[in-house]
Amino acid sequence: MVQHVDPELLALLALGEQDAVSDDERAHLEACPTCRADHDGLAQVATTARDLGPDELVAPPPAVWDRIRAEIAEPEAPDAGATTHDVEAAEAEVVDLASRRRPAALWAAAAASAALVVGVGGGVAWERARGPQETPAPTPVAVAEAELEALPDWPGSTGSATVAQAAGGEREIVVSVAGADGSTADAYREVWLIADDLSGMVSLGVLEGDSGTFPVPEGLDLERYSLVDVSEEPFDGDPTHSGDSIVRGGLTQA
């Protein structure tokens, strides 16, 4: 049975601790492809960490230390209540040391995460840690749109409306109006959704400037409330529609 070089010694050797191994172990390392591959992998980690600047290095999270301690923990001592036969049976068990070798990838991660890279000045370098990458939220998809046409008292006015729906079902409508030059300083514009049979209407809010984005109330049926209307409202304290619409248009599926 081949006795490979202990992984802890390979890690120290990769860090530049040349006295960590004996002459026999060094000779084995030169002749054994498996041990040499483990050593080269650890040495590559050490080189990479040395090349990182101090601003790129962070301490590993506590969970890394917990995994390292669990991996290298000493076997538990025999139960004090165990019989002599149990102890002798345990001592007689033959364990193939090759099967107990820790994978090279594990030691490479441990060497980097546990700061096994020592700089020229004796400082300790840490592995660059990458935090969890946030997945961007899906872009809302346009589901309906409308061209808004001027009403008779507002010639030259134009507008548009687009309804977008997010992945979670939330909807919003973007409304734009241009050419409404008749607006006065003592009035404001309000955006409405009106039932196609004019039997009801819902105010979405005040349009400040030429465009705005408004949430569509949850559960509102846009097939019924399909008319987008922008009105001019006087500051009279009356929340109902003034009857003075600037532009209006029907939503169609995008």
Side-chain angles (χ1 to χ4, degrees), residues 162-188:
T162 301
V163 178
Q165 182 168 316
E170 303 85 355
R171 297 171 297 173
E172 62 182 19
I173 183 169
V174 180
V175 178
S176 300
V177 176
D181 299 329
S183 296
T184 62
D186 57 354
Y188 61 93

Side-chain angles (χ1 to χ4, degrees), residues 63-73 106-107 109-111 113-114:
V64 173
W65 291 112
D66 294 339
R67 290 196 296 270
I68 293 173
R69 292 191 186 98
E71 174 62 22
I72 64 176
L106 173 63
W107 283 103
S113 301

